[in-house]
Amino acid sequence: RFNPQGLSGSPDSWFKSLFVRKVDPRKDAHSHVLAKKEDNNLYKIQFHNVKPECLDAYNELCEDVLPSIHADPEYPCELVGTWNTWYGEQDQAVHLWRYRGGYPALTEVMNKLRQNKDFINYRTERGKMLLSRRNQLLLEFSFWNEPSPRPGPNIYELRSYQLRPGTMIEWGNYWARAIEIRQQNQEAVGGFFSQIGSLYQVHHLWAYKDLQSRENIRNAAWQREGWDEVVYYTVPLIQHMESSIMIPMKTSPLK
């Protein structure tokens, strides 16, 4: 008869060992393994939940102020895209910024904006229109294309995945292969993972001509070799996921 007390340690520790997965120690942060190293870009994504009656005024305010920051060479940042959510969280605006030079560039921009009277007025007026806001700092996956301006009209899908802690490297390994399958129609815009804010979160940004085009392209992916395997192995890594369909604002570089 098997006796767990015959093993070293208490019966309780033996019992617990059945449910504890041994994890090999990591030698480096996943951000160093997965992120692009040659350009040192940092991204900030902002989610603004706007009072429904203020959405038009909010959009006009953003269209007046944000492009001037984007165009000013004194600010080492770029407005990648700015949208209103169409399907998903209603009366929401989403802004994606890129800081060339990483955290020092972000700090430089923030310090300069504190002295910018137009931006201070913008924040004051914006505060009157918002119900809530949140943001995240992100790095881009090395195997995705860098987001660049594209003509429209397009709709954009932001697919956000909350991963189980410790699974980011595994996710990256599968998607490094999967992105080759999903690039054939040029729908892949950018792929990011969080550094500050909600952690172990991934955002994939896609562009489509319309909802039917989205449906056709996504269905076609299942006919390509390897896509079913990627889905099979990545689904268990996910704790929660959501999809938002977004419409670009007039001044968005991603049209």
Side-chain angles (χ1 to χ4, degrees):
R1 177 180 172 182
F2 176 69
N3 181 6
Q5 294 186 11
L7 298 175
S8 60
S10 67
D12 184 57
S13 63
W14 170 85
F15 182 76
K16 288 181 179 178
S17 71
L18 295 177
F19 300 93
V20 177
R21 181 166 63 95
K22 182 174 177 6
V23 178
D24 293 332
R26 288 265 301 283
K27 302 298 184 183
D28 206 351
H30 67 247
S31 59
H32 291 168
V33 176
L34 295 171
K36 293 180 179 178
K37 300 178 179 62
E38 63 274 12
D39 48 24
N40 195 28
N41 288 337
L42 180 70
Y43 290 80
K44 178 172 69 175
I45 191 167
Q46 300 172 300
F47 300 92
H48 291 172
N49 291 319
V50 185
K51 297 176 182 177
E53 67 274 16
C54 297
L55 187 59
D56 289 340
Y58 171 89
N59 287 346
E60 291 177 7
L61 182 66
C62 291
E63 290 163 0
D64 287 342
V65 177
L66 300 187
S68 64
I69 299 171
H70 169 79
D72 192 334
E74 292 298 312
Y75 294 91
C77 66
E78 303 161 9
L79 183 63
V80 177
T82 181
W83 303 269
N84 289 129
T85 301
W86 184 21
Y87 290 105
E89 189 80 25
Q90 295 293 281
D91 304 308
Q92 186 181 71
V94 180
H95 309 291
L96 181 64
W97 294 87
R98 175 168 50 226
Y99 299 86
R100 295 199 181 273
Y103 291 107
L106 172 67
T107 301
E108 180 182 346
V109 170
M110 294 299 102
N111 288 337
K112 287 181 176 178
L113 287 177
R114 292 190 184 100
Q115 311 301 321
N116 185 322
K117 292 183 179 180
D118 289 338
F119 184 77
I120 293 171
N121 292 335
Y122 157 78
R123 289 196 62 170
T124 300
E125 292 303 310
R126 184 188 71 182
K128 301 173 185 177
M129 304 177 185
L130 297 184
L131 294 170
S132 64
R133 59 192 177 100
R134 64 183 176 91
N135 60 23
Q136 287 178 295
L137 294 181
L138 313 169
L139 294 177
E140 58 186 330
F141 285 110
S142 60
F143 46 84
W144 280 72
N145 292 335
E146 179 179 290
S148 58
R150 63 172 65 197
N154 296 295
I155 63 171
Y156 288 81
E157 181 177 19
L158 183 66
R159 296 178 70 87
S160 300
Y161 305 88
Q162 184 64 52
L163 302 186
R164 295 169 53 200
T167 62
M168 188 67 74
I169 295 287
E170 193 174 354
W171 178 274
N173 287 338
Y174 284 113
W175 267 96
R177 299 193 296 270
I179 196 63
E180 298 298 325
I181 301 172
R182 293 298 306 276
Q183 284 280 29
Q184 296 186 18
N185 294 287
Q186 304 302 312
E187 71 266 27
V189 177
F192 314 92
F193 59 97
S194 59
Q195 287 291 284
I196 297 177
S198 298
L199 298 179
Y200 286 99
Q201 193 164 57
V202 169
H203 299 289
H204 291 175
L205 184 62
W206 308 91
Y208 304 100
K209 290 303 179 185
D210 51 41
L211 288 174
Q212 186 59 56
S213 174
R214 170 188 176 274
E215 179 76 1
N216 295 342
I217 290 172
R218 288 178 56 81
N219 286 341
W222 288 96
Q223 308 307 315
R224 300 191 184 115
E225 184 178 357
W227 179 249
D228 56 343
E229 180 181 352
V230 169
V231 173
Y232 178 83
Y233 284 109
T234 55
V235 164
L237 310 181
I238 302 169
Q239 288 184 330
H240 173 74
M241 60 184 291
E242 61 180 305
S243 166
S244 296
I245 301 296
M246 308 183 302
I247 304 297
M249 292 189 191
K250 293 177 183 177
T251 54
S252 177
L254 288 170
K255 302 296 185 185

